[in-house]
Amino acid sequence: MSDLKRIFSPDGACATVLSGWRSRPQQLAMAEAVEQAIETHGVLLAEAGTGTGKTLAYLIPALLSGGKVVISTGTKALQDQLFHRDLPAARRALKSPVKVALLKGRANYVCHHHLQRNLSDGRFANRDDVAWLQKIARFAETSSSGDRAEAEGIPEDATAWFYAISSRDTCLGSECSHFKDCFVMSARKAALEAEVVVVNHHLFFADLWLKDEGVAELLPACNTVILDEAHQLAETAAQFFGETLSVAQLLDLAGDTKRLAAVKAGDFPALRRAAEDLGKAARDLRLAFPQNPVKATVAELTRYDKWPDALKALSAALDETAKLLETQAERDADLKNCFERAQGIEATLASWQRDDDPANPRVRWLETTLSSLLLHATPLSVGAMFGAKLTERAQAWILTSATLAVGGDFTHLKTRLGIEEADTLCVDSPFDYPRQGVLYVPQNLPAPNTPEFTDAVVAAALPVLEISKGRAFILFTSLRALEKARGLLVEAFKQRGWNYPLLVQGDAPKNELLARFQQAGNAVLLGSQGFWEGVDMPGEVLSVVIIDKLPFQPPDDPVVAARIALAERNGGKPFMDYQLPHAAISLKQGAGRLIRTETDRGVLMICDTRLADKPYGKLLLNALPAMTRTRKLEVVARFFAAGSLNTPSLEGRGQGEGERAAVPADEARG
């Protein structure tokens, strides 16, 4: 028996050390595939269904390999979970002495220089910032890591953090007087010395491209790269392989320059005036567009007649500020930093205005918010750039997620990431979905693009919420639909006398909303994209997930529209090759919030009848867990009334893989 078979056997190391652990053949199969990829320096694409235990399936062989391992995951929250919970569990099981480290982007660590400078300066946006910043200062005095996630009692989203951190632009590097005590440098040093390093995708790609955050030094030395939540990689890579310039960056530069000019260059008033002109020009660029949010490509900006002159004025003000900063840069490290920032912003602005290179197609577009404006240049494909990294040196690359393939086919992922050669593995969830869940697609709902659609979704959801006694997520594909549904549900709850707490994305931080949902026991939570994935809510507290529409990307989004146009020019079929696979993976993610353990039961309600009526519905259905399917509300009622995992499937037996119908099953078919 191999080491892995012993470790994952019913009486092996995992069972002995880890409370509640169960032996699963799917977990062993994935672990063996990971071990093989590490030994051969191969590329492995592994989809592991919910409940497989994929984290241990890659951690155990990674720890056993004896080489240096970099693990990247989708979010900072998952990164912390992996480092503080999953890695210690794997090390206990193996009695492994390997050295591990957690590395985040610099904005996650207190910066002594900026903290002290802003405390001394005393200029804050609101009164609360002063009190919070003093607490941050006390945390920095006692913390060994400076990681803001460890600052108890200080909200991670407190605006005071802005005054206590640095960015790539504002870091003084080795010229900083606090360089020897820098938390970022300490974290990087620990990562270089560790055998297993945990990062997140944003840090991974920021460093891969910008060579700034410390990961680039790790990659050449490591034997294995593991990318968890790998379905996010293409979109994250596009952010970092592209360029973005924001009015906020310009205002920060103008504000810092103005303040420093007064303190460090008081005898040179021209610099202060230039900084004031730069701030005004940045604000004027935003004012060249309407207050309502705008998303438009460069070609579409012709409808706005004020923006070309505003952009020219901004360029002139930026150029003047940079020239004057250059004359003062030697006086002070902060002034020198402002000069370097101005140079970087000038380069980004010039790049954004350049004509496109046909060999490296990108879309240049502009986005406004209520108070800011962003200029984006997004590559239409990251495949060439990412794919090249896989073959630079002899390393193993493991890409894994619960949602990587479409019907077992990895073509969509391979194409988007430029992966030519890879081993692939799909291991199914161990859950008994036909007994544990019902997929309900209501009948007679209007088309999703009609004005009355959200009203109909709420009307169809209300009887389900009554049956389930709340305990539901309602997930929307747009914030506009979410806000409309909120108003309808508030009124409906009031009319019916329901006391189900209604929690809405945006009303509080995500983690706080989830904690309140868990505590209430009968809440209804309305969420959009941020709640479609990365949320683990096991048990009866979440018994219904309602999805309003199939999650197709909006075709009027500048990047999506440009990718569709490029695919058409190249003779492809963008709907089948790009839009539909993307929707299938997103739908799997949303559906995956429902059943999280072997004892969970629940109803997945999808209010988009295209799932049943359109020819492509079969592909989307086959991407979903094999739950019992129905289009009738009474089946949902009977499912909740049954109340036991051991109750026979309500529509006869659940459909097996060979019986997956093109539309949800009715009661007669089972």
Side-chain angles (χ1 to χ4, degrees):
M1 183 184 289
S2 72
D3 284 345
L4 288 179
K5 285 182 179 176
R6 279 196 297 271
I7 291 165
F8 287 104
S9 67
D11 56 354
C14 288
T16 304
V17 175
L18 306 180
S19 175
W21 182 86
R22 293 179 59 184
S23 178
R24 302 180 183 94
Q26 298 93 333
Q27 189 176 44
L28 175 60
M30 179 174 167
E32 290 175 334
V34 171
E35 182 182 59
Q36 174 69 14
I38 292 174
E39 288 176 354
T40 61
H41 297 147
V43 178
L44 172 67
L45 312 180
E47 178 176 279
T50 307
T52 300
K54 68 178 169 63
T55 307
L56 278 182
Y58 65 67
L59 283 178
I60 296 290
L63 291 174
L64 289 173
S65 70
K68 180 137 189 161
V69 181
V70 173
I71 304 172
S72 180
T73 191
T75 64
K76 287 183 290 185
L78 290 172
Q79 185 185 4
D80 285 330
Q81 176 182 303
L82 183 61
F83 183 78
H84 294 294
R85 189 190 74 181
D86 300 327
L87 249 178
R91 291 174 71 200
R92 285 198 309 274
L94 297 178
K95 297 181 174 58
S96 172
V98 300
K99 198 170 187 179
V100 301
L102 181 69
L103 183 63
K104 299 179 181 179
R106 68 172 71 250
N108 293 278
Y109 301 97
V110 175
C111 170
H112 294 296
H113 174 73
H114 286 85
L115 173 63
Q116 295 304 324
R117 191 193 73 188
N118 286 307
L119 277 172
S120 300
D121 192 36
R123 299 179 186 180
F124 303 104
N126 58 67
R127 270 184 219 163
D128 290 344
D129 287 341
V130 183
W132 286 125
L133 204 61
Q134 289 170 343
K135 289 185 178 180
I136 292 171
R138 289 194 290 272
F139 163 71
E141 290 174 0
T142 58
S143 174
S144 60
S145 70
D147 184 348
R148 59 198 284 183
E150 298 175 10
E152 293 184 9
I154 305 173
E156 269 206 79
D157 58 348
T159 55
W161 283 111
F162 173 80
Y163 301 102
I165 60 174
S166 69
S167 67
R168 183 171 64 94
D169 291 334
T170 60
C171 176
L172 300 182
S174 58
E175 295 186 27
C176 180
S177 59
H178 298 276
F179 185 72
K180 290 183 179 179
D181 303 319
C182 176
F183 288 124
V184 173
M185 295 309 299
S186 295
R188 289 184 180 182
K189 185 174 183 291
L192 287 170
E193 294 172 352
E195 294 154 276
V196 178
V197 186
V198 181
V199 301
N200 60 66
H201 295 341
H202 280 77
L203 172 61
F204 184 84
F205 282 110
D207 194 76
L208 204 62
W209 196 241
L210 301 172
K211 303 293 187 293
D212 174 67
E213 299 284 355
V215 179
E217 300 172 57
L218 297 173
L219 288 178
C222 82
N223 305 87
T224 302
V225 179
I226 299 174
L227 302 171
D228 201 346
E229 302 298 316
H231 63 281
Q232 301 175 1
L233 291 177
E235 295 302 328
T236 307
Q239 293 177 36
F240 289 99
F241 292 167
E243 293 177 312
T244 294
L245 174 62
S246 71
V247 161
Q249 282 175 272
L250 290 157
L251 291 175
D252 286 345
L253 174 63
D256 289 347
T257 302
K258 180 180 174 181
R259 179 182 53 76
L260 289 166
V263 176
K264 305 288 180 68
D267 58 346
F268 191 62
L271 181 57
R272 181 184 176 92
R273 288 195 297 270
E276 289 173 345
D277 290 343
L278 176 59
K280 180 180 183 301
R283 287 187 288 270
D284 286 345
L285 181 62
R286 173 62 187 92
L287 293 173
F289 295 91
Q291 185 175 8
N292 292 335
V294 171
K295 269 189 178 183
T297 63
V298 170
E300 295 167 335
L301 291 177
T302 53
R303 73 185 78 162
Y304 305 104
D305 55 0
K306 295 179 181 178
W307 89 274
D309 289 339
L311 189 63
K312 286 178 185 175
L314 173 65
S315 295
L318 179 60
D319 183 57
E320 179 66 13
T321 303
K323 286 178 180 176
L324 295 177
L325 277 167
E326 185 176 16
T327 69
Q328 305 299 306
E330 296 306 316
R331 299 178 71 159
D332 177 77
D334 282 317
L335 281 170
K336 182 181 179 183
N337 173 256
C338 283
F339 169 56
E340 291 169 348
R341 287 161 62 189
Q343 284 184 307
I345 290 173
E346 280 189 303
T348 302
L349 184 59
S351 173
W352 189 83
Q353 294 179 86
R354 274 198 297 271
D355 290 336
D356 294 335
D357 176 6
N360 297 292
R362 61 177 185 162
V363 56
R364 291 178 293 143
W365 55 292
L366 177 147
E367 174 184 19
T368 69
T369 64
L370 288 177
S371 60
S372 191
L373 175 148
L374 300 96
L375 303 175
H376 302 283
T378 306
L380 297 186
S381 172
V382 299
M385 290 172 276
F386 183 80
K389 295 294 178 184
L390 302 185
T391 56
E392 274 187 355
R393 56 185 63 89
Q395 290 173 313
W397 289 75
I398 316 296
L399 283 68
T400 185
S401 171
T403 54
L404 282 187
V406 180
D409 185 353
F410 289 86
T411 301
H412 178 66
L413 180 76
K414 286 182 174 181
T415 301
R416 296 202 70 194
L417 293 179
I419 299 173
E420 296 182 2
E421 296 292 332
D423 292 325
T424 62
L425 174 74
C426 278
V427 289
D428 290 334
S429 168
F431 298 158
D432 186 355
Y433 281 113
R435 289 180 177 271
Q436 290 180 249
V438 168
L439 169 60
Y440 170 46
V441 181
Q443 301 181 71
N444 303 318
L445 289 177
N449 59 352
T450 56
E452 65 271 17
F453 178 72
T454 300
D455 299 75
V457 168
V458 171
L462 287 170
V464 176
L465 296 177
E466 184 171 22
I467 293 167
S468 66
K469 298 179 172 59
R471 302 185 296 157
F473 280 4
I474 309 182
L475 303 178
F476 296 87
T477 55
S478 75
L479 289 173
R480 183 181 300 175
L482 183 152
E483 285 301 325
K484 184 176 183 181
R486 177 217 285 259
L488 294 169
L489 287 165
V490 166
E491 185 61 29
F493 283 18
K494 183 178 178 182
Q495 288 180 358
R496 289 164 172 75
W498 291 353
N499 64 347
Y500 309 142
L502 189 64
L503 307 175
V504 183
Q505 176 179 324
D507 286 356
K510 180 178 177 180
N511 287 341
E512 182 180 331
L513 288 175
L514 292 172
R516 285 159 58 183
F517 184 91
Q518 178 82 47
Q519 187 175 15
N522 65 342
V524 176
L525 186 148
L526 311 187
S528 63
Q529 187 174 4
F531 287 83
W532 280 68
E533 57 182 282
V535 175
D536 190 17
M537 194 65 64
E540 293 185 350
V541 69
L542 178 60
S543 295
V544 174
V545 170
I546 300 172
I547 293 174
D548 72 333
K549 294 182 186 179
L550 297 177
F552 288 109
Q553 294 174 296
D556 58 348
D557 178 276
V559 178
V560 175
R563 285 176 178 156
I564 290 171
L566 179 66
E568 289 172 342
R569 288 197 301 272
N570 292 337
K573 298 177 181 178
F575 181 75
M576 295 302 296
D577 298 339
Y578 170 58
Q579 293 168 278
L580 190 60
H582 188 281
I585 289 171
S586 297
L587 188 63
K588 276 205 290 187
Q589 278 290 333
R593 299 315 97 214
L594 183 62
I595 305 296
R596 306 299 299 175
T597 72
E598 287 90 343
T599 56
D600 283 356
R601 301 177 75 251
V603 168
L604 172 64
M605 176 177 172
I606 301 178
C607 301
D608 192 329
T609 57
R610 290 176 294 181
L611 194 62
D613 301 336
K614 296 291 184 181
Y616 58 75
K618 181 177 181 180
L619 185 146
L620 295 171
L621 277 168
N622 287 344
L624 293 170
M627 298 178 181
T628 297
R629 297 172 183 167
T630 188
R631 304 203 67 181
K632 296 190 177 180
L633 181 64
E634 55 263 34
V635 176
V636 173
R638 292 207 304 272
F639 175 79
F640 278 112
S644 169
L645 181 65
N646 297 318
T647 301
S649 182
L650 294 167
E651 299 189 6
R653 60 188 176 86
Q655 291 176 303
E657 283 300 313
E659 301 174 281
R660 305 294 296 276
V663 298
D666 57 25
E667 297 80 71
R669 294 181 59 186

